[in-house]
Amino acid sequence: MTREQIEQDLINSLDYLTSNNGRMFKGSLSKVSSKLKTEIEFDIFHVEGLSYGLLRDALTRIGEVVEDREAKSEIIARVGAGFADLNIALLVISITGEFISVASYAKEGLINQHTAKKAINNLKNSLTGKYLNN
């Protein structure tokens, strides 16, 4: 995904979250969303015995897989995070051997909810125990 595609996906996700009875408020929401700052967080962590398929399953439990690039061992997923998991973050995840690298992108308003960082923590929490030893 390009930077522009990531930005557009985050804007679309915020627009979807503000829908009312299936009808979207058209017009200003996309403009406001596009002006919000995009927070970016990166992390690399060690996992044991985690295959690509198990990682994909963990992501479907906490969010929605947007792109599945098994040939490159990469997954792009949309995950709820921030206050009460009501904001959306986009995770770009690569698994190489026993290491996972994650780039997390999220829109932030006036009050920073640290959505991108919380999305990475949500992923880690879904892997804690059997695959990830903190």
Side-chain angles (χ1 to χ4, degrees), residues 71-118:
K72 292 183 175 184
S73 295
E74 293 178 349
I75 301 175
I76 300 175
R78 208 176 285 124
V79 176
F83 176 74
D85 290 345
L86 293 175
N87 200 1
I88 298 292
L90 199 65
L91 299 178
V92 179
I93 304 155
S94 176
I95 185 168
T96 307
E98 293 187 343
F99 290 93
I100 291 180
S101 60
V102 182
S104 179
Y105 303 85
K107 290 288 188 179
E108 293 289 352
L110 293 175
I111 300 172
N112 192 342
Q113 300 177 47
H114 306 285
T115 304
K117 186 175 191 81
K118 288 179 181 177

Side-chain angles (χ1 to χ4, degrees), residues 10-20 22-24 29 64 78 88:
L10 291 170
I11 291 167
N12 293 343
S13 297
L14 286 173
D15 285 349
Y16 177 77
L17 287 175
T18 57
S19 66
N20 180 20
R23 293 177 300 173
M24 297 199 26
L29 285 178
E64 169 190 12
R78 208 176 285 124
I88 298 292

Side-chain angles (χ1 to χ4, degrees), residues 10-75:
L10 291 170
I11 291 167
N12 293 343
S13 297
L14 286 173
D15 285 349
Y16 177 77
L17 287 175
T18 57
S19 66
N20 180 20
N21 295 328
R23 293 177 300 173
M24 297 199 26
F25 300 104
K26 297 288 183 190
S28 62
L29 285 178
S30 293
K31 291 177 187 175
V32 170
S33 299
S34 67
K35 302 288 185 201
L36 295 174
K37 176 184 80 160
T38 300
E39 177 187 27
I40 304 170
E41 289 285 333
F42 300 97
D43 199 355
I44 298 174
F45 49 95
H46 181 262
V47 292
E48 293 177 7
L50 182 68
S51 68
Y52 182 86
L54 293 171
L55 174 61
R56 184 179 51 236
D57 291 346
L59 285 166
T60 57
R61 284 192 300 275
I62 63 169
E64 169 190 12
V65 173
V66 177
E67 286 187 35
D68 191 344
R69 303 175 180 170
E70 191 168 2
K72 292 183 175 184
S73 295
E74 293 178 349
I75 301 175

